[in-house]
Amino acid sequence: MSDTIVRTRQQVQPDTQQILTTGAARRRPRLSFGAVVREVATALWLPIVLFLVWWFASAASVSPFFPPLSRILEQWWKEFIIGDAMHHVFSSLENFALGYALGAVIGIIGGTLLWRYRFLRQGTNPIIYFLYVLPAPALLPAMIALFGIGQTRQVALIAFGAIWPTLLNTLDGMRGIDQVKFDTAKAMRLSPARTLFTVVFRGASPQIAAGLRASLQVSLILMVVTEMVAAKEGIGYFILQAQIVFSSLNVWAGIIMLVIIGTILNYLFVFIERRALSWYYRSRALGAS
């Protein structure tokens, strides 16, 4: 009993220190206007330079495969902003959202079950790593045989690719939690459900977020791949059709649209992650200072 009390006190001290340091972090002065301008300039200088290099390098191009950037942007505007190609974007985003959400939920639940039940982890370990290294596009024929050529097949393949990075990162994150935290939760008589949400998920959340971000990239790739085979709409379908009719401007316009979608989704993910894990980034910044 005395050992439990000692361990409990040892665990409470870091938590108390974390609260104090978190409070100190909140009292840090905000960045000045000049510092904000410098941070924005640091983040944007290379994309701006690359954009200008592409613009001037392609300005005099007469190659049908490497048209001037000005013409590509003009075509992108005609097709996706004032044209009727935007429905391809909505179709792609719908497939992406359904597949990514389904894969993330299955990955987190699967990783939690594998962490909780050792016999299940040991029994499924070879199968999981076999499926993890299996290239998802290779399953396209099997997915068509199972789900047909509709939206279900596209969502299922995106979900399949999104499961494994999330599942493995969830498992690794939970296995890396310090045993002292479980002893503390036991000493404080926390229920299993409360221990799961306040100790396990909170402790593993940075690595779960890393898995979700890796799954985001995989899902974007599979979104395009599934639309290039037996599909009737989507960005991938738009690019493939443009290639068939030798419309390089539309091919480039579709690629530009994909870049915009990928960039927005990545920045949106980072924005949500920074706020959901603000406690983690504050403690890490204080540890580095």
Side-chain angles (χ1 to χ4, degrees), residues 204-228:
S205 55
Q207 200 150 345
I208 294 175
L212 290 173
R213 191 168 188 181
S215 295
L216 182 73
Q217 312 302 326
V218 175
S219 299
L220 281 171
I221 295 171
L222 292 177
M223 177 191 78
V224 178
V225 170
T226 58
E227 291 168 351
M228 288 185 168

Side-chain angles (χ1 to χ4, degrees), residues 30-97:
R30 293 185 176 181
L31 293 176
S32 63
F33 177 75
V36 172
V37 171
R38 282 195 297 273
E39 285 197 357
V40 173
T42 303
L44 294 181
W45 74 268
L46 184 56
I48 293 175
V49 168
L50 293 176
F51 179 85
L52 293 176
V53 169
W54 188 3
W55 181 281
F56 289 108
S58 63
S61 174
V62 293
S63 169
F65 305 107
F66 188 61
L69 181 56
S70 58
R71 292 187 60 199
I72 294 174
L73 295 178
E74 181 183 356
Q75 188 69 14
W76 170 81
W77 182 269
K78 287 180 180 177
E79 292 289 344
F80 291 99
I81 303 302
I82 61 177
D84 58 354
M86 189 54 83
H87 74 277
H88 292 294
V89 177
F90 295 141
S91 174
S92 295
L93 290 178
E94 182 181 359
N95 295 334
F96 166 82

Side-chain angles (χ1 to χ4, degrees), residues 47-174:
I48 293 175
V49 168
L50 293 176
F51 179 85
L52 293 176
V53 169
W54 188 3
W55 181 281
F56 289 108
S58 63
S61 174
V62 293
S63 169
F65 305 107
F66 188 61
L69 181 56
S70 58
R71 292 187 60 199
I72 294 174
L73 295 178
E74 181 183 356
Q75 188 69 14
W76 170 81
W77 182 269
K78 287 180 180 177
E79 292 289 344
F80 291 99
I81 303 302
I82 61 177
D84 58 354
M86 189 54 83
H87 74 277
H88 292 294
V89 177
F90 295 141
S91 174
S92 295
L93 290 178
E94 182 181 359
N95 295 334
F96 166 82
L98 292 174
Y100 178 70
L102 184 61
V105 170
I106 294 175
I108 293 174
I109 294 176
T112 305
L113 292 175
L114 293 178
W115 165 79
R116 181 65 180 81
Y117 301 105
R118 184 179 179 184
F119 73 96
L120 184 63
R121 182 170 67 250
Q122 291 178 336
T124 58
N125 195 48
I127 300 173
I128 288 174
Y129 281 97
F130 170 76
L131 294 174
Y132 175 64
V133 300
L134 180 65
L139 293 176
L140 261 174
M143 289 290 182
I144 293 175
L146 286 173
F147 301 108
I149 60 173
Q151 185 185 33
T152 305
R153 182 257 312 175
Q154 296 171 275
V155 172
L157 192 61
I158 295 172
F160 177 83
I163 286 174
W164 311 115
T166 307
L167 185 147
L168 294 176
N169 276 276
T170 300
L171 177 60
D172 287 343
M174 290 180 175

